[in-house]
Amino acid sequence: MKPVTPDEKLAAIVGSKPMPRTEITKKVWEYIKKNKLQDAKVKTKINADAALKAVFNGKASVTMFEMTKLVNTHVS
């Protein structure tokens, strides 16, 4: 896949160097698991901390599917 560049908000989570979208998604999931942001009861739900809230356009929680769509708006 062609590398894309994360914007400033997403770079706070995955780093600022260009990488394929698949790698960005993988790094976002690593961040979510490391910080225990996956909802304990509803596994498809992600609870945002301050850094993810910026990527999620201010939303406190999103579904996995919505997360991918929102993350893709932060790359060029």
Side-chain angles (χ1 to χ4, degrees):
M1 277 191 105
K2 187 181 99 170
V4 293
T5 306
D7 70 4
E8 191 177 301
K9 293 175 184 175
L10 185 57
I13 296 168
V14 301
S16 58
K17 67 178 185 162
M19 63 188 92
R21 289 179 196 268
T22 52
E23 186 67 22
I24 289 174
T25 302
K26 184 179 166 188
K27 286 184 179 272
V28 169
W29 270 109
E30 287 171 3
Y31 179 86
I32 289 166
K33 289 181 181 187
K34 182 179 91 175
N35 293 290
K36 297 178 174 54
L37 300 173
Q38 191 171 9
D39 193 88
K41 291 185 177 130
V42 184
K43 296 290 186 185
T44 59
K45 193 172 169 183
I46 310 303
N47 299 314
D49 62 1
L52 275 180
K53 201 176 256 196
V55 174
F56 294 168
N57 298 330
K59 293 184 177 185
S61 67
V62 297
T63 66
M64 283 188 223
F65 312 106
E66 192 178 4
M67 176 192 77
T68 304
K69 183 177 154 189
L70 290 168
V71 166
N72 285 333
T73 65
H74 291 279
V75 295
S76 56

